[in-house]
Amino acid sequence: MAEILQRDGTWTFDGDTLRLTPGRDKGVSLLRKTLGELTVPLGALAGVSFEQGKKSGRLRLRLRDGSDPLLQATGGRLTDANDPYQLSVDSDRYGVAEYLVDEIRGALLLDEVPIDAVDTYLLAGPAVPLSVSAGDGTASFDGDHVRLEWNWKTEDAKAASGARTLSLADIAGVEWYPSVGLENGSLRFTVRNAPTKAPPKYDPNSVELWGFKKDPLMALVAAAVQARLPHPSAPAPHQPTLPPARPDRPAPEEDHDALLRRLRELGDLHRSGVLTDEEFTLAKQAVLKRM
C-alpha cells in the first residue's frame, strides 16, 4: 500500500483502487469538501504525474476519457483548486509522492490497463438527493427528477414560468459552465423536443451563475444527472440486420426443413416489425433461391 497525507488531502493506493480524500484545511475548495472521498478504480486511470516546485509540488491524475461523469459534465472547465484529481504536495514529501507515482504506474503496466476512452462510467458520480442554491436559482436532483426553483434575483420573464420539474427521461444532456471574467456561467439542461438558443438568464431550464463561492457546487448536480444519463459514447441500440449472405446452393446441412423454418422465422420478424417490408422481401428471396 502507498499513501501520502497532506493538508490538501490524502491519497491511498492499494494496488486496485486509489482513494482520494480531501483535506480539512481552509485552503481546500468547497467543491472538493462537498464531493468527499472518491474511490477511483485502477481501470479508470490513464496516467499519473508529479510536478516539483521550489516550495510545493503537485500530483495529477489523468482519467480515461468518459470514465467520470463529473469530468464529462464539466468538460475540463474545473479550476485546479476545484479539481479532485490534483493534490498539492509539500517539498518535504516529494519522495513519498514519487513512490506513489511509481506504484500506480507499475500497477497500470502490470494490469495492462489501456488508455483509450471508455463507453461506460467507471465512477458513480455524486450521491443523491442533492440540492444546491447559487446564482438565480436552486437545483435539486433526487435521482429521477430535477427541480429548478427561482429566487428574487431571477429575471422576471423566467420566474413567471414558475418552478420547473424535469423528468430524467426528458433530459437529453447537461452542462456546467463557470463564470469567466464578465461572462456569467450556467447549469443548463437540454430537454428533448424543446431546443432553445435563449441565454441562461431567460432559459427556464438553466440556472445562471455569477461567479460566487457556491457556483462550483452546481457542477455536482450536473455530474449526478450525467451519471444517470446514457453514456455519450455507448454503442447505439442494436439495429436488426439481414442474415449474412450465403451461397445460392445450400450447404449439406441446409436441408429443406431448415429453410422452411427460416422462412417462418423471417415471417415472424416481419410481422413483429423487426424487419421492414423491403428487408423481409430480400431475405425471403435469398432463402427461396437456396430451396
Side-chain angles (χ1 to χ4, degrees):
M1 178 179 290
E3 184 176 65
I4 183 168
L5 290 80
Q6 293 290 275
R7 291 172 297 174
D8 195 33
T10 300
W11 286 14
T12 306
F13 181 61
D14 64 6
D16 295 315
T17 58
L18 182 61
R19 292 201 315 275
L20 314 179
T21 307
R24 297 182 179 181
D25 187 76
K26 63 180 181 180
V28 178
S29 74
L30 180 60
L31 183 147
R32 288 180 56 207
K33 289 180 178 178
T34 305
L35 184 59
E37 183 177 283
L38 291 176
T39 300
V40 184
L42 184 65
L45 296 179
V48 59
S49 63
F50 177 56
E51 305 161 0
Q52 292 190 19
K54 291 184 178 179
K55 294 184 178 180
S56 65
R58 187 169 293 274
L59 280 166
R60 296 179 188 269
L61 289 180
R62 184 163 61 89
L63 271 61
R64 296 171 66 185
D65 290 344
S67 62
D68 179 30
L70 174 62
L71 297 184
Q72 185 74 38
T74 56
R77 293 179 286 269
L78 288 173
T79 63
D80 286 354
N82 287 319
D83 188 345
Y85 304 111
Q86 297 189 33
L87 183 72
S88 180
V89 179
D90 295 335
S91 59
D92 62 348
R93 306 298 287 171
Y94 283 180
V96 178
E98 290 171 345
Y99 174 72
L100 178 69
V101 167
D102 288 342
E103 289 292 296
I104 295 174
R105 287 177 176 171
L108 289 171
L109 288 172
L110 186 63
D111 284 22
E112 298 181 343
V113 176
I115 62 173
D116 55 344
V118 296
D119 58 11
T120 186
Y121 293 122
L122 302 180
L123 283 85
V128 295
L130 180 63
S131 183
V132 175
S133 296
D136 67 352
T138 297
S140 305
F141 181 54
D142 62 6
D144 295 311
H145 297 86
V146 170
R147 184 167 176 80
L148 303 176
E149 300 174 274
W150 314 117
N151 57 38
W152 63 273
K153 296 171 285 188
T154 308
E155 178 68 24
D156 289 345
K158 180 175 171 179
S161 63
R164 301 276 289 175
T165 299
L166 305 174
S167 170
L168 187 64
D170 293 330
I171 297 175
V174 57
E175 291 180 317
W176 170 84
Y177 288 90
S179 176
V180 179
L182 298 177
E183 185 176 349
N184 292 337
S186 66
L187 170 67
R188 183 190 290 272
F189 297 94
T190 302
V191 179
R192 301 183 194 280
N193 303 318
T196 180
K197 295 184 179 179
K201 182 177 182 178
Y202 302 103
D203 181 7
N205 298 319
S206 299
V207 176
E208 187 181 34
L209 305 173
W210 300 314
F212 296 129
K213 183 178 180 180
K214 289 189 176 181
D215 282 12
L217 296 184
M218 284 292 184
L220 301 183
V221 178
V225 174
Q226 185 74 61
R228 291 159 178 82
L229 293 176
H231 194 286
S233 299
H238 174 70
Q239 297 295 326
T241 57
L242 293 176
R246 295 185 180 184
D248 287 344
R249 291 186 179 182
E253 63 273 15
E254 280 188 318
D255 58 23
H256 190 267
D257 289 341
L259 293 174
L260 287 177
R261 286 196 299 271
R262 184 56 182 156
L263 280 176
R264 286 195 292 270
E265 291 172 0
L266 290 172
D268 291 338
L269 292 173
H270 180 237
R271 284 189 292 274
S272 64
V274 175
L275 291 178
T276 64
D277 291 345
E278 182 180 2
E279 290 171 336
F280 172 68
T281 299
L282 290 173
K284 183 175 69 173
Q285 289 175 351
V287 174
L288 290 176
K289 283 181 180 181
R290 294 199 297 273
M291 294 181 68

